[in-house]
Amino acid sequence: MNEQKGFTLIELLIAVSITAILMTALYKTFFSVLKAGDVVEENLDKYLEAGRFLDRFEQELNAAYYKNTNSRTIFAGEKKRMTSEVSFTTFTYSVLKEGMPTSDLSAVRYFVDEEKEGDTIYKEIWNPYIGKRFKIEVMRGIKGFDVSFFNGKDWALAWDSSLEKRLPDAVKVSIAIEEGKELSALAMPKIR
């Protein structure tokens, strides 16, 4: 008998089929990992943006200024529909952009506009002695923005310093980035 060494056609077809199946599985796995990485990176960007916003908001609230005898100073907040709105005077950076208020004392208002791709937080800033307002987009694509005020005993969803004759003891702000995911900060106005 003549002994020949090699592969039969069936063995070769089975080997090629197994290789094709493995390559398809590896291809799908590779692109699934890439897609998951993109989702994680996008979520991380949202968390970083929310964290920067909360830090800035907390700094401004810590420097909030209200004097009962000065009608140009304000501190008021309330829940409107599903989100909060808050306005206050604060000691902040003098110039953010060309043509913006140049006083160290600025009035700011944070509010939310509802849009198709998610809500957007806006900041309105003005010099309380001049009054020209500038609107800046702060963060888009959020699911919620809530501010509550502590009077020393209880938390409330609204505050008006013209009625209370003082600043709240603490302010808590929360941003919902996506369903069930929320970041928050606690600020305590320090200028009394």
Side-chain angles (χ1 to χ4, degrees):
M1 254 189 147
N2 190 3
E3 284 192 38
Q4 293 182 348
K5 294 187 178 183
F7 296 106
T8 63
L9 183 58
I10 293 183
E11 291 173 331
L12 191 59
L13 287 174
I14 290 172
V16 169
S17 298
I18 291 173
T19 302
I21 291 169
L22 288 174
M23 292 300 279
T24 303
L26 285 173
Y27 178 82
K28 287 181 180 179
T29 303
F30 176 73
F31 284 103
S32 294
V33 168
L34 282 179
K35 186 177 179 181
D38 289 343
V39 169
V40 166
E41 186 175 332
E42 183 180 319
N43 287 339
L44 181 61
D45 286 344
K46 279 186 180 180
Y47 277 98
L48 289 172
E49 184 180 10
R52 284 190 300 269
F53 164 71
L54 289 173
D55 285 344
R56 179 73 179 149
F57 191 81
E58 183 181 354
Q59 286 175 359
E60 288 178 348
L61 278 171
N62 286 341
Y65 176 72
Y66 175 77
K67 189 166 187 171
N68 195 29
T69 57
N70 184 344
S71 63
R72 299 196 190 275
T73 61
I74 57 172
F75 194 103
E78 64 182 322
K79 187 149 181 136
K80 291 189 172 187
R81 289 175 277 160
M82 299 302 291
T83 61
S84 294
E85 179 178 309
V86 63
S87 302
F88 55 94
T89 45
T90 183
F91 288 101
T92 187
Y93 301 108
S94 57
V95 178
L96 296 174
K97 194 167 146 181
E98 185 71 29
M100 293 187 84
T102 56
S103 171
D104 288 341
L105 183 65
S106 295
V108 294
R109 176 179 153 232
Y110 286 95
F111 62 98
V112 174
D113 272 348
E114 296 175 8
E115 297 175 1
K116 289 179 186 175
E117 34 319 303
D119 295 345
T120 301
I121 300 175
Y122 287 96
K123 176 182 180 178
E124 197 172 50
I125 185 168
W126 67 96
N127 181 322
Y129 295 97
I130 297 172
K132 185 177 177 186
R133 295 176 183 235
F134 296 88
K135 182 178 170 183
I136 304 164
E137 181 181 294
V138 176
M139 189 173 176
R140 78 175 38 214
I142 63 161
K143 304 292 183 204
F145 174 66
D146 290 309
V147 181
S148 53
F149 311 93
F150 188 63
N151 65 9
K153 286 179 158 182
D154 301 311
W155 287 94
L157 297 177
W159 187 275
D160 188 349
S161 285
S162 65
L163 300 174
E164 301 287 338
K165 307 293 185 210
R166 66 184 185 95
L167 291 170
D169 292 337
V171 179
K172 180 181 178 188
V173 59
S174 300
I175 300 176
I177 296 174
E178 52 187 278
E179 298 302 324
K181 306 244 170 124
E182 185 175 281
L183 295 173
S184 61
L186 184 67
M188 290 179 250
K190 299 189 177 6
I191 302 171
R192 301 281 178 182

